[in-house]
Amino acid sequence: MPLARRARVLLLSQYVKTGSAVQVMAQDTTGFGYLLKERIAAIGDLTEAIRRIGAGGSVIDPEVVARLLRRHRAAGPMDTLTHREREVLALIAEGRSNEAITRQMTVSGKTVETHVRNIFTKLGLESSTTDHRRVPAVLTYLRA
C-alpha cells in the first residue's frame, strides 16, 4: 500500500503567529507555506508560492522568519509593535512628517495618527508639554 501524501498547506495570514507556524514546521516543512497577506505584491508572487508548495517545497515570509529568530532573545519594547507600526516608526526615523507618511504608505491621516499614538503607548512614552515623543521613539528604534 503506498504511503499517504501529506496535504500541501499555504497559510495566508494578516498577523504573524509564530506559535502555530512552529507547530506545523516542527512536524514537517514539506509542502508548507506561511505568507503575510499584505506582503504579497503581485498575483505572480502568490502563484509561484503555490507552485513551490505543490512541488513539496516550503515558502516562509521573511517577517515570519525574523520573528521566529527574535523569539530566542530577550523581548524589548520594539517587539510589541506590529509590522505596520514598525514601518511607520522607520519613516519617522527618516524624518518624515505624518503627512509624508500618509502619502508614502497611501493610507489616511487618521490611520497614521493611530499608528503613531500606538507606537508612543507601546513604547511607554508619556505625553509631555516639554518634550517631543518622536525623538525617544526613534532612539528606541535605532537601539533595537
Side-chain angles (χ1 to χ4, degrees):
M1 179 188 234
L3 292 174
R5 184 174 177 200
R6 182 177 187 270
R8 308 300 195 213
V9 176
L10 173 58
L11 175 62
L12 291 175
S13 179
Q14 185 168 344
Y15 307 101
V16 177
K17 300 281 187 183
T18 55
S20 53
V22 169
Q23 288 174 354
V24 173
M25 289 186 291
Q27 295 171 11
D28 186 4
T29 58
T30 303
F32 175 73
Y34 188 163
L35 298 174
L36 297 177
K37 291 178 191 178
E38 72 180 31
R39 293 170 50 99
I40 297 175
I43 191 69
D45 296 339
L46 180 58
T47 304
E48 177 58 26
I50 292 169
R51 280 192 190 112
R52 287 175 59 190
I53 292 165
S58 60
V59 179
I60 310 296
D61 190 280
E63 179 63 26
V64 174
V65 172
R67 185 77 59 94
L68 287 168
L69 293 174
R70 282 196 302 262
R71 286 176 58 159
H72 298 290
R73 66 170 175 77
M78 287 293 294
D79 295 326
T80 62
L81 302 181
T82 66
H83 172 73
R84 282 298 237 191
E85 290 164 350
R86 283 192 303 276
E87 245 183 331
V88 169
L89 186 51
L91 292 170
I92 290 172
E94 291 176 11
R96 306 286 172 89
S97 66
N98 283 6
E99 185 178 328
I101 294 169
T102 297
R103 283 194 307 268
Q104 179 156 346
M105 294 180 72
T106 61
V107 295
S108 73
K110 184 160 180 65
T111 299
V112 171
E113 288 172 13
T114 299
H115 285 313
V116 171
R117 185 174 48 254
N118 289 343
I119 290 166
F120 293 156
T121 299
K122 289 178 178 181
L123 296 181
L125 301 172
E126 301 287 329
S127 182
S128 168
T129 57
T130 58
D131 298 316
H132 203 295
R133 296 183 287 178
R134 279 167 115 68
V135 174
V138 168
L139 291 173
T140 301
Y141 170 77
L142 293 174
R143 288 181 188 123

